Each structure stands twice: as C-alpha cells, then as structure tokens.
Amino acid sequence: MTAPQDPGDQPLAPEPGWDDERLAAAFAGRAARVVVPTDLVAGTLARVRPSAAERPWWGRLVPVGAAAALLVVVGGGLAILGGSSGLLGGGSGVTFREGPTPDLRTLDAGTFAVDFPIDWLAYTTDGATGSGGSIMAVLSTQPVEDRCNGLTGVDINCVYEQRLESGQMRIVVGTGAYRGQTIFDRADIENGTTTRLGLGGMPALVDEYDDVPDDYYQADQSATWQIATPMSLSTVVRLEFMAREPDADAARQAAQAVAESIRFTPPPTPLPDDPAAGIVAARAALDAEAASFRQGFVSADDTDVQTYLDCLAPVPGEDRVMDVGYGPGGDLGWTVLTRCRWFVTPVRNHQFWQLATVYEWRISDEVSWYGERYYIDATGAVVARSSSGDTPPPAGSPDEGVAPAASCDEMLQVTAITCASVLGLGDQAGARVDRVRIWLTSLGAVRSTMDPAQRTSLPSDETRVWAMVFDGEWRCCPNAVDENGQGIPSGSWTTWLVVAEADREATGFTYIQDWSDRAVPEHLPGAAQPEPNPDPSFAPTPPAWGPWPPDGSEVIELPNDDPDAPARVAVVDLSGSLVEVRAPTAQDGQPDAPDEAFLRDPADDGRYRLRWGTTICDLQMTVTIDADLSGIVIEHAPRNGCDAMGIRRELVLEFARDVDPAAVTLEVIPAERLPEAVAPGVPDGLFGLEVIDVEAALAIQARPDDDREIAVRGWLWLNRAIARCRISPETWMFGRDCGLWDTLRESADGGPEMPLYFGPAVSGNPTAEESGLEIVIVGHFDDRRSDACGLTFAERCADVFVVDTMWMNGAPVSRDWTIPPDGGDVRAPFGTADDAAAAALSVFDDDPTRTMPHDAWVLSVGLMPGRHLAELEPTLRPFCGPDCDALFQSPAWIWHVTVLDRTTSELRTFVISDAEFGDQGSIIMREPTIDEVVEHST
Amino acid sequence: MGERATRREPIQPALDRSLVDRARTGDLDAFEEIVRARMDAVYRLSFAILGNEADARDAAQDTFVAAWRQIGRLQDVGRFEAWLQRVAVNAARMVHRSRRRRAVREIPSADVAARVAEVAAPEAADVRSLDVALRTLPVEQRAILVLHHLEGRAVTDLADILEIPVGTVKSRLHTARAALNRAIDAERGR
C-alpha cells in the first residue's frame, strides 16, 4: 500500500528510511489490530442525546412581529378502528389516575402532570410525533367519535375533524419545540393577546385570539397555553383550548385551572440567591462553547488566532477589544477588530440565568453587531440558545490607509508607556476603538495644533508626549472633562484625543477631549518619529507630604476593591463649622452630578456632597476645608505607579451653617509618583538555579510544556485589583477576580514583562507597598493546574509564571505558610514543618542510610485543613482517585510541600497527612508510602 | 522507494448529503445515522493518532459531541467529511493534551497483543516499531502522517482538512516523516 497522490499534487521528495510501501503496510497492520468497541456508538449517542435540547441553533431570529413557528408535527396514517375508548394508557405514554382531590383526575405524562375535572372525558392519542413534539391527550366534555379510536389511542387527525357542539369544550395536550428560539423570543401574536406568565415554576405564555381564527369548530373562545419545560426553554407543553357557548367563560376558567395545575418531574430548581453563581455558570458555559467552537472550526495551525468567543472578557460587563479571526460562521479569512462583552441576568421566575453576548465591529464606518443568548439553569446546564444580528463578513480586507489599533504595539514599545496602556486610556470608558492615529511629539506641538483641554497636570511644552486620536465609539465617560475642566455627561463620541506623557507610565495621561467635530490633522508640526532607545530614566522628586493623618483631622474610611486595604480620607476642617462627615450609604442615593464637584445634596438641603476622581491605588487622602469655606483642597499621598482605572470618591458633609456650593472652589491635587525603590543587590544564583532576566524567561514561556523551575530577576509590579485573589487560594488563577496579573518587568522603567501568579507560599510577600521592588522569583510556566482554567484559558494560564518562592529585600522569603482552620476546636498538628520537609525529601533518597545532602531543595512547606486542598490543587483530586476522597474532605491537617529537584530542575509537590506524624506522639521518620504521601509530579 | 499509486478510494461509502442537511437543522435522528456511519472511521483515526484504546474512545466520543454542537454552523455540506476529520484531529489533540499532564502512563492492552503477534509474524515487528515511534512524535505530526499514510489523504485534501496551504502541508509532511524515520531508527537500535 502506498501513499496517495492527487493528479494535481507535486510529488513529495522521497524520504530516507522506510519506503512508502513499507510504511503504509505498517500503518495498515497497525490499523488492522484496532477493534472498534461495540458499545462506542451507544455510548456516544448517550452523550449526544441529552445535549439535544441545548444544541445551538445558529440561525437568526425572525423579525419582531413575526410569530415563531411552533413545530408540532402530527404523524400521518390512519388509526386502526376499534372499540377502545382511549381511556387506557396509549401510544403517547400518558396515563390518567386519581387526582389530588375527589373532584379531580390527573393526566400524568411522566415529565409533567396536570389535573382536570373528574367529569371530563380523557383520551390518550396514538402518540402522533414529529421532530418538534407530539400530541399526547385530549380532554373534552364532548365524546370523541368512535371512528377516531385506535388500538393505542385516538387519532388526533380524526379528532381535529370533529366540530364542537354547543356548550362543549376541548383541550388538546401536547408538546412542541421552537426551532432556534426560546419561549422568551417568541413574538406576541398580532391578532390577539399574548400574556406572559409563570406556570409550574417555568416561564409560560397564553395566546388568546380576538377573533377565533377558524370558525370550522364554531368555537366562541380559543386560547393556547405554552409552558416551557425545565429541560429546555425551546420545548414547551402545549394546552390548546377551545369552547363553544353557552358557558364558554366557565370552560375558559376551568382550562386555566388545568394550566395552573401543571408540575414537572423533576421540578425546576430555583436559582441560588448568589448572583456570583450565575457568573460562574455563565463563564463555564462560555468556556465550553469556546472550546467546542475551537474544536469544530479552528485549524490546528491557528492556535494564535482568536475566535469571537475568545474575545469575551473573563468577567461580565467588561468590554474587550480584540482582533477576531473566527466569527460565528467560522474562519473569516482576515481579522476584524471586534468589541465584545457579556452579561448575566436572572430571567422570569428566577429559574434561569440569561447569558447575553454582544459583539460589535465597524468596517468602512458601518457599525454592525451580533449577539448570542444562552439560558442556563440552576445546575449550570445550557437549556436554550439563540442568536441575532449579523455575523462579521468572512471576506474582504480593511480599508486602505486605516491603521489598525494593533499597530501601536510597533510604535509604543519604544517608550515607557506600553501599547496596552495607551489602548486602555482610549478605552478607559468602555470605548470601542476602531482606529488610532499616533504621534510621538511634544506637548507644545499638540497644543498648537489640537488645543487639548487640561486634564490633571500642566507639563511644559517641551514634554515628550504621545498624541493619540481614537476613532470608534465612546458612550460613557466617568473620568473625562471638557475644555473647561468640567465633567462630560453621558453621550456618544466618535473621535477623541488622548495625550500621554511618553516617559511616564499609565497614570501619566494628561488630556482627554472629545474631538468629534474637529478635523484631525494627518501630521503634527514638529512631530518626531519614534526613537528606538529613549532615555528610560525617570525619577520624580517626591512632593512634601507630611505625617498622616494630620493633627486634628477626622479619618473616614471608604470602601475599596481590596477589603484589606481601604481608602482613608483625613478631613481637616479649618472653618470649624463642619458638623458631620461620613462615607455615603446606599440610602443616600447617587445625585446626578459631575465626577468632580461640591454640591448641595438634592435629597437633603442640609447636606452636601463632595466628589472627586482618583484611583484605587490612592489609599491616603486629605481633604482640607478653608477657614472661610471658600475652598476645599483634596490631596493624595504620593505612591508607586498605578495601572488601575480611575474611580470616584465621595463624602457626605453637614455644616452648622448654610454654604453656597457655587462660592466654594475645589482643587484636587493628584498623587505624585514615588521614585522606584532601590533594592539591595540581587544574587546571581538561587537554590542552585542561575538567575535569568525577564527576556530569557519569556523565551522559556514560549516553549510548549516547559515547566522547569527557573529563577528570574526583575522589577515587581503589583496589580492591586487582584490582591484578594492572590492572598486567598480559594480559586485557581482564573477564578473570580483572577485573570488580571501581577507582572515582573525587565527594568524599573518597563521593558518586557511577564504575568505572575503568587501561590500561597508567597502570598504574604510581597506587600502592596513593595510594588516597584527589584526581586528574584523562583517558579515555573506551564503549571499543571492550568487545565483548571478551562479549555478556553488553559493556554493563557500556562503562560503565567507561578511563583513558588522568591527573594526580596536581600533574602529569601520564609518557606513556611499556613491556612488556618475554619473554626472550631482544632488540635495542634502532630508534625512540624521540618518533619514534613524531611518526609518529602526522603523520597529523593536512593539509600535511606545515606548521609549526603539531598539533591533537592524544599521551597515551601504549607499547613492547612485537608478540605482546602482542592482549592490549591484543583487537578490533583482526579489524579489521586477515590482513595483520596477522605483527604480532600477532611478538616484534619495536611502538609503541602514543594521541592525543587535539582537534577531535573522540576518542582515536585507532596501532600502529607499530618496523622503520619501522630503515632503515639512520636515522629515517624521513614520513607512514606503511597498511602501517606501523595506525590503530584509536574 | 515504492512506486506511488493513484489516490485510494475512500474506504467508506459517501454519506447521504441530506443526512448532513437534516442534522444541520437539528434533526437528531439524522445525526444519529451519521454517528453510526462514521464511528468506525473516526475511532480508527483517533486510535491511529493517539495509540491507545481509552484515549481513542474519548476522542471519538468528543468528536461527535462537538460535531453535534457545531454542525449547525457548517456552511458547506459538501465539506462535511473533511470537517469531521478536522474535528476528530482536534479532539485527538485535546485528549492528548489533557493526558500529557498526568503523571501516570497507561499501558494499552493492545501492546501486549502486539508483542505476542510479533512472535507469530515477523512483519508485526514493523507495526510495533511504527507504534513506538509514533508515540514519540508530537500529536500534530502523528495526525498528518496518519491522515496521509493511513487514511490516504492527498496533500490537497490535507490542506483542506487542516486548513493550511498546500506548501505548508508538504513541509510538515516532510518534517514529520523525517522525525518518524529517526524515531523508527532509534526504536530499532535499542
């Protein structure tokens, strides 16, 4: 057997070694021994079938007003005539039994049941089915004609032929399905009334026609209830009612009682109260969808190409802009700059979360959007999906001359401010950025050409700046000011200007201005070209900032993202008229006012509001009220650099006398940046590892599956927004607030950087104040726990450097750490950290009697209750198997030891039960067995 | 070097396009027919790439679960077969990726059978050498070799399945083949 060749193929060059024939024979021989398991089809279908309801339907929604087709396909064929009354169980699987009260009977369809008056006639059908649903039973006050009876039930086609007689009613019970829609999407009927309600704990609707649509039955009333099933919002139980006068109203009420009696087996599960559970479920659904989409549509060669699902931020409500190469229909053939976001909200009756994803993009000034909706039940299962809008065009190319935003990477890397930072500035208010024009120039050139408004400071005209004109859409503006320095109200702009000092990072932006009505020059006078190696030195002189809080001040604590680091404001009242000052509460409401203002509280004439803009990194502030109440000055303590977004701070004040806010000037002095800390000299080697720089570490990061332990020197940059996640190992890497990383930078002034994740062994180090410190970190990329990030984020997590230990302030940090017990009467551990370390090291002994030092180095020894292990080692439990269940559920102590194997540079992790050391109070020093030590090698 | 043959005909009969059409519109019955018709091929492809029963089983199931979820997006019904093979290759990659982080290594029962077969049939040694050598290659190289040498996919087909240019296919095939030869030599030299 030989390799194939297409007529159009160029022959492949012959390979040395086995020829094609021998190789093909070996392949064939290898394949011949493959026996396809006989149960594989059944097993596969067992996995496919339950997902049938959640299978995506990627068609578009029908226009509003056009009712969705409810598919109830009635099977063909004539019923076999016979004498059955249809009261026995029939082909539809429905049974009738005694009802909950003597005057009622129950129709039981297995997955749902309804009650109906005992004097009604009840018929099962012959189980007419189709892909959309089935007709299951007929409830009626009018007997079904004998000719309609079949062996297993009445023929519904025959029943439909039967007209209603005076004073009679009929309900046809069945199921149906919306193709590509949910019950929420179905439009209201146009010739009647659609009422949305909840029945049986599920969303439902009832259609009542103004005029009975078909007088064939001579019905005077007609209504149809459709009740979504817990399995899927796209499948419904359907009760089709009609009645003829007299007493049609009473029949209508009876039919409504039938609908209201519906209950499902199993019943729908209410959503948990915690909204975070919805976010977790939604994120998991998106991860699964992204992985599934990638599996189905993305070429193996395109691992670096982003799909539209990759574009969604880790958390809801957060906009992300990304070049997307795969749209909902597959490969676009090019990349489209797309703005993406998602939201989660509970829907009617709180039975489901609705996950809405929205994608927007602009091509040739035409803005388009596409959206997908997922409905997720309390178990996390996706029970329905739908899509709407237009998908990005699969062919074409960006307009000539339009510079994609991504090009800033090539330009901005030469200065202290990074491309990510500048795009963040442009996108700080949730803007969508389609295009950005960038100049590296002087502030004087920008002033003379575009005359931007002052934002936060007033550097000299010689200051080197980036001038960036963004094209896109910007709808909200929490921190923006207009030319007069006043807050910009909500609105929409298509072009805006940001000026950033090129040699200051992140917070160095000075101007931001709407440029919608201005002609943007293509060239700036005197604009310089990017310089390859600008002088990176920048060390501002710290301003005078005296002891804090000042004498006589009242300190108010304001909430911060990091609960352990609240923002505090010292209020100095020189006027002597301040009666009360406090942080606003929810009851105080949010007056409609600029972000920087002193105003009278609209809700209370006696109160005043003081607002100003700052960042979450500013934790110490002083508010000074002038003696004559003519001015208020807000100062911020100097601090390290800060990448954080701006936020608004607010105080509620009461004075002993009336104050005219218009007569009070407000001055906000932003924080000055402290010079970078100067660290003691860093070592060239640590734990037997050569200390390398960030650039060298990034080369290792780029290699697949290289999880060797390395030591890296660099400058620490802490992202304060993730402090809580970093300190508490409650989740792994991408859980909850994680996903924003601390970073290690090549130098104090920037350069290449790599994302960091701090494990619990170093969670107390560094502290927030140590951002900007030169350190050496020891850890690895490609952590085995990256898989716990989900399929979508696994690769990204694998690129994060997991810090196992570190060197700072001239010495390694402590290797020992503890997660305290949750409470209760807890005994002291039997063993010590040294015992645990010795037990782990003993594994490295070839000869237990050897006296030579171990060829391994203990990096950390942790002590914690066993039930916390799953949080720290989310991938260990499946590996460990059922034998470890007790370990993972136990409140008893366990030890978690990481050891650097110096022969392989690999990190090895050991989990040791503390009970191992508890035998009669003595320490058992022996090589642990598998029962005692669980090793999880990387 | 043996003489190159003309393209081998597909082992399996072509699928009824209407089945794919129906499956695209959500017809589970039609999709179940596709599963039955294509399970053998998908499992054999998965096994050829992954080399053991457990992983091949998982990959084959994952292939059809993913296909069911995504077939609604498939725009060109005529490309279903190539698309399904790509899904299978991707599924194999995912399964392999999830396995490689494990510290345990499974010994497929087929290995034992292969050793027994070697005694009875000397040519089985080639099969065993190929088997061992393939396991040393990255899964992407295994996939392209299997698709070409076992499935009989021509270079242009591979470009379609893997969504890479023909030139890239040739380059990768060349690299994979060279790596396989080295691995076989190493296995034979042990």
Side-chain angles (χ1 to χ4, degrees), chain A residues 371-440:
Chain A
E372 290 175 356
R373 265 177 291 173
Y374 304 67
Y375 293 93
I376 304 169
D377 71 12
T379 69
V382 176
V383 295
R385 304 157 191 257
S386 62
S387 64
S388 55
D390 300 311
T391 59
S397 60
D399 284 354
E400 289 295 325
V402 175
S407 67
C408 79
D409 245 330
E410 298 170 9
M411 298 181 67
L412 295 186
Q413 61 185 355
V414 300
T415 64
I417 189 167
T418 65
C419 180
S421 297
V422 72
L423 285 180
L425 293 176
D427 194 27
Q428 66 168 345
R432 188 197 66 243
V433 178
D434 296 334
R435 177 191 184 200
V436 57
R437 280 161 283 181
I438 305 170
W439 298 271
L440 179 61

